[in-house]
Protein backbone atom coordinates (compact mmCIF):
# COMPACT_ATOMS: atom_id res chain seq x y z
CA UNK A 1 0.00 0.00 0.00
CA UNK A 2 1.29 3.49 -0.79
CA UNK A 3 0.77 6.37 1.68
CA UNK A 4 1.77 9.73 0.32
CA UNK A 5 0.88 13.37 0.03
CA UNK A 6 2.31 13.82 -3.48
CA UNK A 7 5.45 13.12 -5.47
CA UNK A 8 7.48 15.75 -3.56
CA UNK A 9 6.87 14.01 -0.22
CA UNK A 10 8.18 10.67 0.87
CA UNK A 11 5.77 7.75 0.55
CA UNK A 12 5.57 4.37 2.17
CA UNK A 13 6.16 1.82 -0.55
CA UNK A 14 5.97 -1.94 -0.02
CA UNK A 15 7.27 -4.78 -2.12
CA UNK A 16 8.75 -8.22 -1.64
CA UNK A 17 12.50 -8.62 -1.91
CA UNK A 18 13.94 -12.10 -1.99
CA UNK A 19 10.72 -13.45 -0.52
CA UNK A 20 10.42 -10.97 2.34
CA UNK A 21 7.95 -8.06 2.40
CA UNK A 22 9.76 -4.76 2.91
CA UNK A 23 8.32 -1.28 3.42
CA UNK A 24 10.46 1.76 2.71
CA UNK A 25 9.91 5.51 2.98
CA UNK A 26 11.16 7.07 -0.20
CA UNK A 27 10.45 9.74 -2.78
CA UNK A 28 8.35 8.16 -5.51
CA UNK A 29 10.93 8.90 -8.21
CA UNK A 30 13.90 7.65 -6.19
CA UNK A 31 15.76 4.95 -8.08
CA UNK A 32 15.04 1.40 -7.03
CA UNK A 33 18.82 0.85 -7.17
CA UNK A 34 19.42 3.44 -4.43
CA UNK A 35 16.60 2.15 -2.24
CA UNK A 36 17.93 -1.40 -2.49
CA UNK A 37 21.51 -0.39 -1.77
CA UNK A 38 21.07 2.38 0.79
CA UNK A 39 17.88 1.57 2.64
CA UNK A 40 17.81 -2.20 2.42
CA UNK A 41 21.61 -2.72 2.41
CA UNK A 42 21.32 -5.02 -0.61
CA UNK A 43 24.55 -3.87 -2.22
CA UNK A 44 24.83 -6.69 -4.77
CA UNK A 45 23.22 -4.57 -7.50
CA UNK A 46 25.97 -2.23 -8.68
CA UNK A 47 25.92 1.18 -10.31
CA UNK A 48 27.91 1.20 -13.52
CA UNK A 49 26.59 3.70 -16.05
CA UNK A 50 23.48 4.89 -14.22
CA UNK A 51 21.80 5.21 -17.63
CA UNK A 52 20.37 1.79 -18.44
CA UNK A 53 23.28 0.79 -20.67
CA UNK A 54 25.44 -1.64 -18.69
CA UNK A 55 23.17 -4.03 -16.75
CA UNK A 56 25.29 -4.02 -13.59
CA UNK A 57 22.25 -2.87 -11.58
CA UNK A 58 19.93 -5.58 -12.99
CA UNK A 59 17.36 -7.26 -10.75
CA UNK A 60 14.32 -9.40 -11.47
CA UNK A 61 10.99 -7.65 -10.94
CA UNK A 62 7.97 -9.94 -11.26
CA UNK A 63 10.20 -12.27 -13.26
CA UNK A 64 11.32 -9.58 -15.72
CA UNK A 65 14.92 -8.44 -15.95
CA UNK A 66 15.06 -4.70 -15.21
CA UNK A 67 17.83 -2.17 -14.79
CA UNK A 68 17.14 -0.85 -11.31
CA UNK A 69 18.87 2.46 -12.09
CA UNK A 70 15.95 3.23 -14.42
CA UNK A 71 13.10 2.09 -12.17
CA UNK A 72 11.42 4.69 -9.95
CA UNK A 73 10.76 2.96 -6.64
CA UNK A 74 7.04 3.72 -6.93
CA UNK A 75 6.93 1.30 -9.85
CA UNK A 76 8.10 -1.47 -7.53
CA UNK A 77 5.02 -1.09 -5.28
CA UNK A 78 3.46 -4.52 -4.79
CA UNK A 79 6.05 -6.29 -6.93
CA UNK A 80 8.21 -9.27 -6.26
CA UNK A 81 11.92 -8.47 -6.60
CA UNK A 82 14.84 -10.85 -6.67
CA UNK A 83 18.36 -9.51 -6.24
CA UNK A 84 21.63 -11.41 -6.40
CA UNK A 85 21.40 -11.87 -2.62
CA UNK A 86 18.26 -13.98 -3.17
CA UNK A 87 19.20 -16.31 -6.03
CA UNK A 88 20.76 -19.11 -3.99
CA UNK A 89 19.19 -21.37 -1.42
CA UNK A 90 20.69 -20.69 2.00
CA UNK A 91 24.07 -22.27 2.49
CA UNK A 92 24.71 -23.15 -1.16
CA UNK A 93 25.57 -21.41 -4.38
CA UNK A 94 23.17 -21.13 -7.32
CA UNK A 95 24.43 -23.27 -10.21
CA UNK A 96 25.29 -20.09 -12.14
CA UNK A 97 27.34 -18.72 -9.23
CA UNK A 98 29.19 -22.04 -9.17
CA UNK A 99 29.87 -22.14 -12.91
CA UNK A 100 30.89 -18.45 -13.03
CA UNK A 101 33.44 -19.28 -10.33
CA UNK A 102 34.70 -22.41 -12.06
CA UNK A 103 34.88 -20.93 -15.57
CA UNK A 104 36.47 -17.60 -14.56
CA UNK A 105 33.31 -15.69 -15.47
CA UNK A 106 33.91 -13.17 -12.69
CA UNK A 107 36.99 -11.00 -12.38
CA UNK A 108 36.47 -7.55 -10.79
CA UNK A 109 32.88 -8.62 -10.07
CA UNK A 110 31.14 -5.34 -10.91
CA UNK A 111 29.12 -6.86 -13.74
CA UNK A 112 28.68 -10.25 -12.09
CA UNK A 113 25.43 -9.81 -10.13
CA UNK A 114 23.69 -8.42 -13.21
CA UNK A 115 25.23 -11.09 -15.45
CA UNK A 116 24.01 -13.85 -13.16
CA UNK A 117 20.50 -12.45 -12.94
CA UNK A 118 20.37 -11.97 -16.72
CA UNK A 119 21.63 -15.54 -17.15
CA UNK A 120 19.06 -16.89 -14.68
CA UNK A 121 16.34 -15.04 -16.58
CA UNK A 122 17.63 -16.48 -19.87
CA UNK A 123 17.72 -20.05 -18.54
CA UNK A 124 14.18 -19.66 -17.22
CA UNK A 125 13.05 -18.71 -20.73
CA UNK A 126 15.34 -21.09 -22.62
CA UNK A 127 16.67 -23.99 -20.55
CA UNK A 128 18.97 -25.14 -23.39
CA UNK A 129 20.16 -21.96 -25.12
CA UNK A 130 22.54 -21.97 -28.05
CA UNK A 131 25.74 -19.91 -27.76
CA UNK A 132 24.09 -17.29 -29.96
CA UNK A 133 21.06 -17.18 -27.66
CA UNK A 134 23.36 -16.76 -24.65
CA UNK A 135 25.11 -13.86 -26.38
CA UNK A 136 21.76 -12.34 -27.24
CA UNK A 137 20.39 -12.90 -23.70
CA UNK A 138 23.39 -11.13 -22.18
CA UNK A 139 23.59 -8.36 -24.75
CA UNK A 140 22.35 -5.77 -22.25
CA UNK A 141 25.14 -6.58 -19.79
CA UNK A 142 28.61 -5.16 -20.29
CA UNK A 143 31.82 -6.61 -18.89
CA UNK A 144 35.12 -4.75 -19.02
CA UNK A 145 37.24 -7.64 -17.76
CA UNK A 146 36.54 -11.10 -19.09
CA UNK A 147 36.14 -10.74 -22.83
CA UNK A 148 32.80 -12.56 -22.43
CA UNK A 149 33.96 -16.04 -23.48
CA UNK A 150 34.27 -17.33 -19.89
CA UNK A 151 30.88 -15.85 -19.06
CA UNK A 152 29.26 -17.56 -22.05
CA UNK A 153 30.94 -20.84 -21.12
CA UNK A 154 29.70 -20.46 -17.52
CA UNK A 155 26.11 -20.04 -18.71
CA UNK A 156 26.39 -22.95 -21.16
CA UNK A 157 27.83 -25.16 -18.40
CA UNK A 158 25.05 -24.16 -15.98
CA UNK A 159 22.48 -25.07 -18.64
CA UNK A 160 24.16 -28.47 -19.15
CA UNK A 161 24.17 -29.17 -15.40
CA UNK A 162 20.54 -28.18 -15.01
CA UNK A 163 19.31 -30.30 -17.90
CA UNK A 164 21.34 -33.35 -16.86
CA UNK A 165 20.59 -33.03 -13.11
S1 LIG B 1 23.90 1.17 -13.78
FE1 LIG B 1 21.94 0.58 -14.45
S2 LIG B 1 22.25 -0.09 -16.48
FE2 LIG B 1 24.21 0.66 -15.88
S1 LIG C 1 34.22 -8.97 -14.28
FE1 LIG C 1 34.84 -6.88 -14.24
S2 LIG C 1 33.30 -5.88 -15.41
FE2 LIG C 1 32.86 -7.99 -15.64
Amino acid sequence: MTHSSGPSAKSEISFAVNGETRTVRAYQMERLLDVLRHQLQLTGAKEGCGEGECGSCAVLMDGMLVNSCLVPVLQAQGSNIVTIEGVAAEGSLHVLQQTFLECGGAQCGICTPGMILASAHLLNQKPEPTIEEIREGLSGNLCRCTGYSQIIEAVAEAARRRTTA
Side-chain angles (χ1 to χ4, degrees), residues 105-112 115 142-146 151:
Q107 287 182 23
C108 80
I110 295 290
C111 73
T112 312
M115 282 287 183
L142 305 183
C143 177
R144 288 173 178 269
C145 305
T146 64
I151 290 174

Side-chain angles (χ1 to χ4, degrees), residues 46-57 67 69:
K46 302 285 186 276
E47 176 152 14
C49 65
E51 302 181 336
E53 299 290 337
C54 75
S56 65
C57 63
N67 287 328
C69 71

Side-chain angles (χ1 to χ4, degrees), residues 4 23 27 34 46 52 59-60 66 84 87 96 107 110 128 130 133 135 151 155 158-159:
S4 86
T23 299
Y27 295 107
D34 295 327
K46 302 285 186 276
V59 299
L60 298 175
V66 298
I84 190 65
V87 297
L96 281 160
Q107 287 182 23
I110 295 290
E128 297 182 65
T130 63
E133 286 169 335
R135 276 189 214 286
I151 290 174
V155 178

Side-chain angles (χ1 to χ4, degrees), residues 4-164:
S4 86
S5 44
S8 58
K10 286 192 173 181
S11 306
E12 274 191 8
I13 299 168
S14 297
F15 45 87
V17 186
N18 302 330
E20 204 181 313
T21 301
R22 308 295 299 261
T23 299
V24 297
R25 279 190 65 72
Y27 295 107
Q28 297 182 2
M29 294 306 288
E30 257 181 89
R31 305 183 309 170
L32 177 60
L33 174 64
D34 295 327
V35 171
L36 290 172
R37 289 180 56 84
H38 302 148
Q39 287 205 43
L40 301 179
Q41 278 72 54
L42 294 167
T43 54
K46 302 285 186 276
E47 176 152 14
C49 65
E51 302 181 336
E53 299 290 337
C54 75
S56 65
C57 63
V59 299
L60 298 175
M61 193 162 104
D62 292 333
M64 302 291 293
L65 189 68
V66 298
N67 287 328
S68 62
C69 71
L70 294 184
V71 177
V73 68
L74 181 65
Q75 241 178 51
Q77 168 67 31
S79 71
N80 194 356
I81 291 170
V82 177
T83 69
I84 190 65
E85 289 87 350
V87 297
E90 205 170 320
S92 61
L93 292 179
H94 185 281
V95 62
L96 281 160
Q97 292 172 314
Q98 190 64 44
T99 58
F100 267 65
L101 262 179
E102 291 172 17
C103 299
Q107 287 182 23
C108 80
I110 295 290
C111 73
T112 312
M115 282 287 183
I116 287 183
L117 286 164
S119 303
H121 181 254
L122 171 70
L123 295 185
N124 285 341
Q125 313 282 310
K126 290 183 198 290
E128 297 182 65
T130 63
I131 296 299
E132 207 35 59
E133 286 169 335
I134 296 173
R135 276 189 214 286
E136 170 88 0
L138 299 184
S139 59
N141 295 75
L142 305 183
C143 177
R144 288 173 178 269
C145 305
T146 64
Y148 299 98
S149 56
Q150 297 101 314
I151 290 174
I152 290 164
E153 176 51 27
V155 178
E157 178 58 21
R160 277 195 287 277
R161 288 187 194 178
R162 277 177 26 148
T163 49
T164 56

